[in-house]
Amino acid sequence: ILLSRSNFPPQNEWRSMLVTNSSALNKKIKFLQGIIDLGATINIIQCDVSELNSLKKVVESILLTHGKIDGILHAAGVP
């Protein structure tokens, strides 16, 4: 599960996005596609983690779907 403050295009649009969008977005899509190609499943959820109510809703949804959270990586600001 990847939380992103900004809106991220749905996975079914990535192929066309690689042709029409900025290089920063292309890098992110290619990186995530590489992880998927290795067998991972990625679920991207738009959420500003500095907004407590929004974060609570996302955590509740994750717990309902997956039962628990095993770990958290915080990579805000990492290019």
Side-chain angles (χ1 to χ4, degrees), residues 8-71:
F8 202 84
Q11 188 176 346
N12 64 350
E13 296 177 10
W14 288 3
R15 191 172 310 274
S16 64
M17 302 294 283
L18 289 173
V19 175
T20 61
N21 281 300
S22 71
S23 63
L25 181 59
N26 285 350
K27 286 181 182 179
K28 291 175 185 178
I29 290 172
K30 287 178 182 179
F31 177 79
L32 294 174
Q33 188 61 56
I35 294 172
I36 292 169
D37 291 345
L38 292 172
T41 301
I42 294 179
N43 183 6
I44 302 172
I45 301 171
Q46 186 176 2
C47 174
D48 184 343
V49 298
S50 69
E51 295 180 15
L52 185 58
N53 287 332
S54 178
L55 184 58
K56 282 183 178 181
K57 289 178 184 177
V58 169
V59 169
E60 289 171 3
S61 174
I62 292 168
L63 292 174
L64 282 173
T65 303
H66 299 284
K68 64 179 180 172
I69 297 173
D70 290 319

